[in-house]
Structures are given as structure tokens and as C-alpha cells.
């Protein structure tokens, strides 16, 4: 309902503006809007986070309402395709035959972790190098996703014997091979099949996960983490490095203010 979106979020759809007024509108690209930092002295990071919480919470209230009213609509099916494939529409889990029909090789545990992997082009690798220099994250871990990184995060949470599911753009196979062959992760690891994966369903599947492991330089990961924070869901990990003494991975930057601080810093890397 466009009217409800406009009323709740304080926006207006462009095609609702009379044509005679459109030429006077100032435009901004989606990328510039995402990284926009206000120079107004009255605005601060807490205000930014509070407003984002409001917008995200309202968005998902509307989404939940739509799901209740039209549970079998194409839009709901697209958003929930991964959840339905793994857990069934009633949330009680699919039988082995239905799982195999969806291309799923292992039954999923009730508690599960989602790992986000994506191919990094030269710009992505430049951002990782900048993140290492300015923020201390590991140069390669967010790209390679080594098994000891995943285990170091999941073991202290008691999640090392629960399902590990990867959402991916499908263009980087090396992390999949590593996690599929390592004895500590292989028994619990699988990838959301491309046949059921959509951006919307991957996002929803990751938002509702017990643990989310994402990339510090991916806006896709940022959105998932922001939404989890806004909805009160913990255990989102985007920042990790090797301890210089123990050479083991450790996570840091565990709160939303730290994530926002990093996103503000990221602007200077473009």
C-alpha cells in the first residue's frame, strides 16, 4: 500500500509528484544517499540510528501485516522462499523428499547460522585493504571465509553443532569448497540453492538467523546487520582479525554505533 508507506515513512513516490513540479526536485543517487552524512550540527549518530530503527521497524510491521493478509501471494512467496524450503510453510521442517526436491542436501537444525559470501572485484579488494588500514579488519578473511574463522565465532556461542548456511551471489566457489571440506564445518554446512535463492529471501533468511556472519564492506551485509539491530536480534559479526599473539581469529566492533562509525569512515575510501 503506497499510501501507507508514504504516511509511515514520510516519503513520497516520484510518480505522485505533479509533472510541473518534478523539474524543481533535487535528486541524489542511491549510493550517495546511503553514504550521506549530514553536516547539520543538531544531528548525531544516535539520532541516525534511532530514525533508522523507526523506519526499519515500520517497514517490517507493514511486511508482517501483508504476510498475514496474503500468505500465499507471489510477493510473500518470493520473500520467504528460503525459509519455506528449509523449514516448511508451517515452520516445522520439511521431510527429506521435499528437501531434496528443493536441492537441499541436509536437514537444517532449528537454530542456524548464516554466512554471507560474495565475489569481490578490484573495488571490493580495495575496500578491504582500506578497512584493514583504517579499522584493523583482516585483509582476506571476509573474502576467503576460512573454516577457523567460522568456528571461532560459533564455538563460544554453542552453535558449532548447528546448521551453517551460506547465502551467496554464486560467483565465488572457493569459500564453499573450504567450508564443505573442512571436518569442523562440513557436517553442518550447506548453501542456499540458486533455484530458491532471491535477494529478498536471502535477506529474510539471514535476518532471522541465530547468528549472522557478514562482510564489513558489503552494503548487503550492512543492511542485514542494521535490520537485526533494529529488531533486537543479536549475534551479528562483520568485523574480525587474527590476534597477533595467538594467531587465532577474534571479533570486534559488536555494537551498532561502531558499525555506523565504520560506514561513515567507508565514505572516505571511495
Amino acid at each position: 500500500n503506497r499510501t501507507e508507506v508514504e504516511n509511515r515513512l514520510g516519503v513520497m513516490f516520484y510518480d505522485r509528484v505533479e509533472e510541473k513540479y518534478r523539474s524543481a526536485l533535487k535528486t541524489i543517487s542511491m549510493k550517495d544517499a546511503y553514504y550521506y552524512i549530514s553536516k547539520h550540527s543538531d544531528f548525531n549518530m544516535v539520532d541516525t540510528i534511532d530514525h533508522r530503527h523507526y523506519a526499519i521497524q515500520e517497514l517490517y510491521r507493514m511486511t508482517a501485516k501483508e504476510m498475514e493478509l496474503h500468505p500465499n501471494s507471489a510477493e510473500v512467496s518470493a520473500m520467504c522462499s528460503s525459509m519455506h524450503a528449509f523449514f516448511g510453510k508451517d515452520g516445522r521442517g520439511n521431510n527429506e523428499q521435499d528437501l531434496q526436491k528443493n536441492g537441499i542436501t541436509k536437514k537444517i537444525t532449528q537454530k542456524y547460522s548464516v554466512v554471507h559470501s560474495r565475489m569481490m572485484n578490484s573495488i571490493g579488494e580495495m575496500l578491504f585493504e582500506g578497512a584493514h588500514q583504517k579499522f584493523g579488519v583482516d585483509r582476506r578473511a571476509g573474502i576467503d571465509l576460512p573454516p577457523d574463522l567460522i568456528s571461532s565465532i560459533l564455538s563460544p556461542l554453542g552453535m558449532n553443532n548447528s546448521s551453517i548456511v551460506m547465502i551467496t551471489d554464486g560467483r565465488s566457489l572457493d569459500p564453499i569448497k573450504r567450508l564443505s571440506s573442512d571436518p569442523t564445518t562440513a557436517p553442518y554446512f550447506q548453501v542456499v540453492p540458486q533455484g530458491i535463492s532471491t535477494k529478498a529471501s536471502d535477506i529474510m533468511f539471514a535476518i532471522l538467523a541465530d547468528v549472522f556472519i557478514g562482510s564489513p564492506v558489503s552494503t548487503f551485509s550492512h543492511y542485514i546487520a542494521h535490520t537485526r539491530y533494529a529488531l533486537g536480534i543479536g549475534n551479528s559479526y562483520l568485523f574480525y582479525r587474527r590476534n597477533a599473539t595467538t594467531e587465532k581469529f577474534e571479533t570486534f566492533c559488536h555494537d551498532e554505533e561502531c558499525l555506523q562509525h565504520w560506514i561513515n569512515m567507508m565514505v572516505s575510501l571511495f
Side-chain angles (χ1 to χ4, degrees):
N1 185 316
R2 291 172 128 208
T3 301
E4 187 174 8
V5 170
E6 290 179 334
N7 290 339
R8 289 199 184 205
L9 300 186
V11 298
M12 178 178 283
F13 287 95
Y14 180 78
D15 60 6
R16 295 205 188 199
V17 179
E18 290 185 52
E19 285 194 29
K20 61 182 179 182
Y21 297 122
R22 291 180 186 177
S23 61
L25 294 176
K26 293 182 179 180
T27 61
I28 185 171
S29 71
M30 188 165 61
K31 176 183 171 183
D32 289 339
Y34 183 82
Y35 291 112
Y36 177 77
I37 301 174
S38 174
K39 295 182 174 64
H40 200 293
S41 59
D42 289 344
F43 291 100
N44 56 48
M45 189 180 294
V46 173
D47 292 332
T48 299
I49 291 172
D50 285 347
H51 182 71
R52 182 167 57 237
H53 281 193
Y54 168 78
I56 289 174
Q57 288 165 7
E58 288 298 302
L59 176 65
Y60 281 91
R61 283 191 185 101
M62 288 185 283
T63 301
K65 180 181 175 182
E66 186 66 21
M67 287 177 168
E68 288 179 355
L69 292 175
H70 307 288
N72 297 314
S73 68
E75 291 79 10
V76 171
S77 295
M79 183 173 287
C80 299
S81 59
S82 296
M83 295 296 296
H84 290 167
F86 281 97
F87 290 107
K89 287 193 174 183
D90 60 3
R92 297 177 182 176
N94 277 328
N95 59 44
E96 192 170 332
Q97 186 176 0
D98 286 334
L99 290 172
Q100 290 176 352
K101 191 187 302 180
N102 289 318
I104 298 169
T105 55
K106 303 181 182 82
K107 288 201 78 169
I108 194 168
T109 55
Q110 282 299 310
K111 289 188 174 183
Y112 68 98
S113 302
V114 164
V115 179
H116 175 216
S117 170
R118 59 160 294 176
M119 172 72 78
M120 286 293 164
N121 55 22
S122 58
I123 295 175
E125 292 186 357
M126 177 203 73
L127 288 174
F128 260 107
E129 181 60 30
H132 172 74
Q133 296 291 342
K134 289 180 175 286
F135 218 62
V137 302
D138 189 275
R139 283 186 173 94
R140 294 290 313 177
I143 301 172
D144 299 334
L145 296 171
D148 59 329
L149 166 65
I150 307 303
S151 298
S152 71
I153 294 173
L154 299 184
S155 293
L157 300 173
M159 291 289 292
N160 50 314
N161 293 323
S162 298
S163 294
I164 305 167
V165 186
M166 178 179 284
I167 55 174
T168 175
D169 57 13
R171 295 188 294 158
S172 182
L173 299 179
D174 288 343
I176 297 173
K177 291 176 182 176
R178 287 189 195 94
L179 296 172
S180 296
S181 58
D182 185 87
T184 60
T185 56
Y188 313 102
F189 176 76
Q190 56 188 316
V191 181
V192 176
Q194 291 297 304
I196 61 172
S197 172
T198 67
K199 285 184 179 180
S201 69
D202 283 353
I203 286 173
M204 185 64 77
F205 194 60
I207 288 170
L208 296 177
D210 294 88
V211 181
F212 174 63
I213 302 173
S215 164
V217 303
S218 164
T219 54
F220 196 81
S221 282
H222 294 169
Y223 176 77
I224 292 168
H226 282 321
T227 303
R228 288 169 64 88
Y229 281 125
L231 300 181
I233 304 172
N235 294 330
S236 298
Y237 300 94
L238 277 65
F239 302 89
Y240 23 81
R241 61 196 171 201
R242 283 197 186 274
N243 184 292
T245 303
T246 65
E247 295 190 355
K248 293 182 178 180
F249 280 108
E250 60 185 16
T251 61
F252 65 103
C253 192
H254 297 125
D255 60 82
E256 192 171 8
E257 284 194 25
C258 185
L259 172 58
Q260 186 63 45
H261 178 61
W262 159 242
I263 291 173
N264 292 348
M265 288 179 66
M266 245 180 93
V267 178
S268 65
L269 302 178
F270 286 99

